[in-house]
Amino acid sequence: MVPMDEQEALDAYSAAVVRIAESTLPSVAAVSVRTARGAGAGSASVISTEGHLLTSAHVVAGAQRTEVAFGDGSVLPARVVGRDPLSDLAVLQAEGSTPPPVPWGDATRLRVGQLVVALGNPLGLAGSVTAGIVSALGRSLPTLSGRVVDEVIQTDATLNPGNSGGVLADSAGRMVGVNTAVAGIGLGLAVPINPTTREIIDALITRGRVRRAWLGVVGAQITLTPELAARVGAPTGMQVASVVAGSPAAGAGARAGDVVVSLDRVPVRSATGIQRLMVETAIGRRMEMTVWRNGALVDIVVEPEELRTP
């Protein structure tokens, strides 16, 4: 027999999951996609009163026809408003009345061990709910575009097939992530909802695309020598493996072998450190990049250009 205090705890846990499911699932849709290669499926969630839905970019890649189906049995045609493979986010517009939007949360407030619930609608007419905890924060997720999504949420809430694009909710039923991939047995990953991704979503709604800056350097994180680490105040930096010919970095004089320690006076500890700074406001703006070269710190001035994506 389960002791009363344990029973009460189980009841509280169950009640929280049930409450989140009942409030969120009506606004989570099954996404059916028709492409030149065949059919695909995933999930999406309503994010505005104008019928916008948020899903994963890979769910609607190459979509020629898209439909969204809700738990009440309604099926609506939809179109892809904007898609950003670099963050694996996409926005749809349903042609018709949709349920109310899922409230926004903020993944920056999450803590390891916190309750989260993964919700999707992989089959239509029947939602999928799994609960677990945040098992890690700050993960990086490689995307099909070759870039990585930073600050990814890792959870042990199992992601069922077709759940990509669905909601990762906190205990208050707020969307803190978009379920995007299975990381391994018993693990799932979600793109965070935070100020950066909110800007991406707003850009997809208003412009249909996201503008990013580009330098043209390829590199990897390395451990700095103790002397250099003490000098720059960071244990790691990014060593340049190659510089793209004709790129802003090449024009500024960056070389293979340089170790980038800061960009625009922000410490760079890895390749994602540079990627994180390549936002729209960096396009065409002169930035100082400090590199370690031949035993000395060298400052070069780079002017990022707009990244062109297919």
PDB file of all heavy atoms in Angstrom, residues 273-288:
ATOM      1  N   GLY A 273      29.830  30.784 -30.279  1.00  0.00           N
ATOM      2  CA  GLY A 273      29.953  32.129 -29.733  1.00  0.00           C
ATOM      3  C   GLY A 273      29.909  33.179 -30.822  1.00  0.00           C
ATOM      4  O   GLY A 273      29.304  34.246 -30.658  1.00  0.00           O
ATOM      5  N   ILE A 274      30.553  32.893 -31.957  1.00  0.00           N
ATOM      6  CA  ILE A 274      30.490  33.803 -33.104  1.00  0.00           C
ATOM      7  C   ILE A 274      29.101  33.756 -33.720  1.00  0.00           C
ATOM      8  O   ILE A 274      28.503  34.785 -34.041  1.00  0.00           O
ATOM      9  CB  ILE A 274      31.567  33.438 -34.141  1.00  0.00           C
ATOM     10  CG1 ILE A 274      32.960  33.792 -33.594  1.00  0.00           C
ATOM     11  CG2 ILE A 274      31.312  34.161 -35.464  1.00  0.00           C
ATOM     12  CD1 ILE A 274      34.089  33.523 -34.564  1.00  0.00           C
ATOM     13  N   GLN A 275      28.567  32.551 -33.887  1.00  0.00           N
ATOM     14  CA  GLN A 275      27.248  32.407 -34.500  1.00  0.00           C
ATOM     15  C   GLN A 275      26.193  33.191 -33.735  1.00  0.00           C
ATOM     16  O   GLN A 275      25.311  33.820 -34.329  1.00  0.00           O
ATOM     17  CB  GLN A 275      26.868  30.927 -34.536  1.00  0.00           C
ATOM     18  CG  GLN A 275      25.496  30.644 -35.142  1.00  0.00           C
ATOM     19  CD  GLN A 275      25.185  29.170 -35.131  1.00  0.00           C
ATOM     20  OE1 GLN A 275      25.975  28.349 -35.584  1.00  0.00           O
ATOM     21  NE2 GLN A 275      24.019  28.816 -34.601  1.00  0.00           N
ATOM     22  N   ARG A 276      26.299  33.203 -32.415  1.00  0.00           N
ATOM     23  CA  ARG A 276      25.310  33.880 -31.579  1.00  0.00           C
ATOM     24  C   ARG A 276      25.305  35.388 -31.821  1.00  0.00           C
ATOM     25  O   ARG A 276      24.284  36.048 -31.629  1.00  0.00           O
ATOM     26  CB  ARG A 276      25.593  33.574 -30.109  1.00  0.00           C
ATOM     27  CG  ARG A 276      24.485  33.970 -29.152  1.00  0.00           C
ATOM     28  CD  ARG A 276      24.822  33.571 -27.736  1.00  0.00           C
ATOM     29  NE  ARG A 276      24.846  32.126 -27.587  1.00  0.00           N
ATOM     30  CZ  ARG A 276      25.924  31.424 -27.253  1.00  0.00           C
ATOM     31  NH1 ARG A 276      27.081  32.031 -27.045  1.00  0.00           N
ATOM     32  NH2 ARG A 276      25.865  30.122 -27.135  1.00  0.00           N
ATOM     33  N   LEU A 277      26.442  35.929 -32.253  1.00  0.00           N
ATOM     34  CA  LEU A 277      26.543  37.369 -32.486  1.00  0.00           C
ATOM     35  C   LEU A 277      26.140  37.768 -33.901  1.00  0.00           C
ATOM     36  O   LEU A 277      26.010  38.959 -34.206  1.00  0.00           O
ATOM     37  CB  LEU A 277      27.979  37.842 -32.222  1.00  0.00           C
ATOM     38  CG  LEU A 277      28.467  37.707 -30.776  1.00  0.00           C
ATOM     39  CD1 LEU A 277      29.957  38.005 -30.693  1.00  0.00           C
ATOM     40  CD2 LEU A 277      27.686  38.635 -29.855  1.00  0.00           C
ATOM     41  N   MET A 278      25.942  36.786 -34.772  1.00  0.00           N
ATOM     42  CA  MET A 278      25.629  37.083 -36.168  1.00  0.00           C
ATOM     43  C   MET A 278      24.127  37.297 -36.364  1.00  0.00           C
ATOM     44  O   MET A 278      23.447  36.564 -37.082  1.00  0.00           O
ATOM     45  CB  MET A 278      26.146  35.963 -37.076  1.00  0.00           C
ATOM     46  CG  MET A 278      27.668  35.875 -37.139  1.00  0.00           C
ATOM     47  SD  MET A 278      28.450  37.350 -37.867  1.00  0.00           S
ATOM     48  CE  MET A 278      28.941  38.280 -36.413  1.00  0.00           C
ATOM     49  N   VAL A 279      23.610  38.325 -35.710  1.00  0.00           N
ATOM     50  CA  VAL A 279      22.193  38.678 -35.793  1.00  0.00           C
ATOM     51  C   VAL A 279      22.003  39.788 -36.824  1.00  0.00           C
ATOM     52  O   VAL A 279      22.965  40.333 -37.371  1.00  0.00           O
ATOM     53  CB  VAL A 279      21.665  39.117 -34.414  1.00  0.00           C
ATOM     54  CG1 VAL A 279      21.710  37.952 -33.440  1.00  0.00           C
ATOM     55  CG2 VAL A 279      22.481  40.288 -33.869  1.00  0.00           C
ATOM     56  N   GLU A 280      20.750  40.141 -37.073  1.00  0.00           N
ATOM     57  CA  GLU A 280      20.444  41.126 -38.114  1.00  0.00           C
ATOM     58  C   GLU A 280      21.159  42.453 -37.891  1.00  0.00           C
ATOM     59  O   GLU A 280      21.640  43.081 -38.829  1.00  0.00           O
ATOM     60  CB  GLU A 280      18.927  41.344 -38.177  1.00  0.00           C
ATOM     61  CG  GLU A 280      18.493  42.338 -39.240  1.00  0.00           C
ATOM     62  CD  GLU A 280      16.992  42.438 -39.354  1.00  0.00           C
ATOM     63  OE1 GLU A 280      16.269  41.644 -38.710  1.00  0.00           O
ATOM     64  OE2 GLU A 280      16.527  43.324 -40.099  1.00  0.00           O
ATOM     65  N   THR A 281      21.250  42.903 -36.639  1.00  0.00           N
ATOM     66  CA  THR A 281      21.846  44.206 -36.358  1.00  0.00           C
ATOM     67  C   THR A 281      23.349  44.228 -36.611  1.00  0.00           C
ATOM     68  O   THR A 281      23.961  45.304 -36.631  1.00  0.00           O
ATOM     69  CB  THR A 281      21.576  44.627 -34.906  1.00  0.00           C
ATOM     70  OG1 THR A 281      22.028  43.591 -34.019  1.00  0.00           O
ATOM     71  CG2 THR A 281      20.091  44.874 -34.680  1.00  0.00           C
ATOM     72  N   ALA A 282      23.966  43.059 -36.802  1.00  0.00           N
ATOM     73  CA  ALA A 282      25.404  43.010 -37.089  1.00  0.00           C
ATOM     74  C   ALA A 282      25.714  43.210 -38.568  1.00  0.00           C
ATOM     75  O   ALA A 282      26.865  43.474 -38.938  1.00  0.00           O
ATOM     76  CB  ALA A 282      25.990  41.683 -36.618  1.00  0.00           C
ATOM     77  N   ILE A 283      24.689  43.104 -39.428  1.00  0.00           N
ATOM     78  CA  ILE A 283      24.911  43.221 -40.870  1.00  0.00           C
ATOM     79  C   ILE A 283      25.404  44.625 -41.215  1.00  0.00           C
ATOM     80  O   ILE A 283      24.764  45.623 -40.881  1.00  0.00           O
ATOM     81  CB  ILE A 283      23.611  42.912 -41.655  1.00  0.00           C
ATOM     82  CG1 ILE A 283      23.152  41.477 -41.370  1.00  0.00           C
ATOM     83  CG2 ILE A 283      23.818  43.117 -43.156  1.00  0.00           C
ATOM     84  CD1 ILE A 283      21.776  41.154 -41.918  1.00  0.00           C
ATOM     85  N   GLY A 284      26.576  44.694 -41.866  1.00  0.00           N
ATOM     86  CA  GLY A 284      27.116  45.971 -42.321  1.00  0.00           C
ATOM     87  C   GLY A 284      27.722  46.822 -41.220  1.00  0.00           C
ATOM     88  O   GLY A 284      28.098  47.972 -41.477  1.00  0.00           O
ATOM     89  N   ARG A 285      27.839  46.286 -40.000  1.00  0.00           N
ATOM     90  CA  ARG A 285      28.404  47.058 -38.903  1.00  0.00           C
ATOM     91  C   ARG A 285      29.843  46.633 -38.651  1.00  0.00           C
ATOM     92  O   ARG A 285      30.147  45.456 -38.572  1.00  0.00           O
ATOM     93  CB  ARG A 285      27.578  46.849 -37.628  1.00  0.00           C
ATOM     94  CG  ARG A 285      28.072  47.663 -36.431  1.00  0.00           C
ATOM     95  CD  ARG A 285      27.027  47.704 -35.330  1.00  0.00           C
ATOM     96  NE  ARG A 285      26.756  46.399 -34.757  1.00  0.00           N
ATOM     97  CZ  ARG A 285      27.481  45.848 -33.775  1.00  0.00           C
ATOM     98  NH1 ARG A 285      28.547  46.490 -33.300  1.00  0.00           N
ATOM     99  NH2 ARG A 285      27.163  44.659 -33.285  1.00  0.00           N
ATOM    100  N   ARG A 286      30.752  47.603 -38.555  1.00  0.00           N
ATOM    101  CA  ARG A 286      32.154  47.313 -38.307  1.00  0.00           C
ATOM    102  C   ARG A 286      32.338  46.810 -36.868  1.00  0.00           C
ATOM    103  O   ARG A 286      31.858  47.422 -35.922  1.00  0.00           O
ATOM    104  CB  ARG A 286      33.002  48.567 -38.548  1.00  0.00           C
ATOM    105  CG  ARG A 286      33.046  48.965 -40.017  1.00  0.00           C
ATOM    106  CD  ARG A 286      33.645  50.363 -40.197  1.00  0.00           C
ATOM    107  NE  ARG A 286      35.041  50.425 -39.787  1.00  0.00           N
ATOM    108  CZ  ARG A 286      36.073  50.094 -40.551  1.00  0.00           C
ATOM    109  NH1 ARG A 286      35.862  49.662 -41.792  1.00  0.00           N
ATOM    110  NH2 ARG A 286      37.314  50.215 -40.117  1.00  0.00           N
ATOM    111  N   MET A 287      33.020  45.665 -36.746  1.00  0.00           N
ATOM    112  CA  MET A 287      33.201  45.027 -35.450  1.00  0.00           C
ATOM    113  C   MET A 287      34.676  44.659 -35.285  1.00  0.00           C
ATOM    114  O   MET A 287      35.324  44.213 -36.238  1.00  0.00           O
ATOM    115  CB  MET A 287      32.333  43.759 -35.349  1.00  0.00           C
ATOM    116  CG  MET A 287      30.862  43.984 -35.639  1.00  0.00           C
ATOM    117  SD  MET A 287      29.919  42.445 -35.816  1.00  0.00           S
ATOM    118  CE  MET A 287      29.819  41.918 -34.118  1.00  0.00           C
ATOM    119  N   GLU A 288      35.164  44.835 -34.093  1.00  0.00           N
ATOM    120  CA  GLU A 288      36.550  44.480 -33.794  1.00  0.00           C
ATOM    121  C   GLU A 288      36.631  43.016 -33.379  1.00  0.00           C
ATOM    122  O   GLU A 288      35.916  42.573 -32.484  1.00  0.00           O
ATOM    123  CB  GLU A 288      37.086  45.374 -32.678  1.00  0.00           C
ATOM    124  CG  GLU A 288      38.561  45.190 -32.388  1.00  0.00           C
ATOM    125  CD  GLU A 288      39.049  46.149 -31.327  1.00  0.00           C
ATOM    126  OE1 GLU A 288      39.459  47.284 -31.676  1.00  0.00           O
ATOM    127  OE2 GLU A 288      38.997  45.770 -30.133  1.00  0.00           O
TER     128      GLU A 288
END
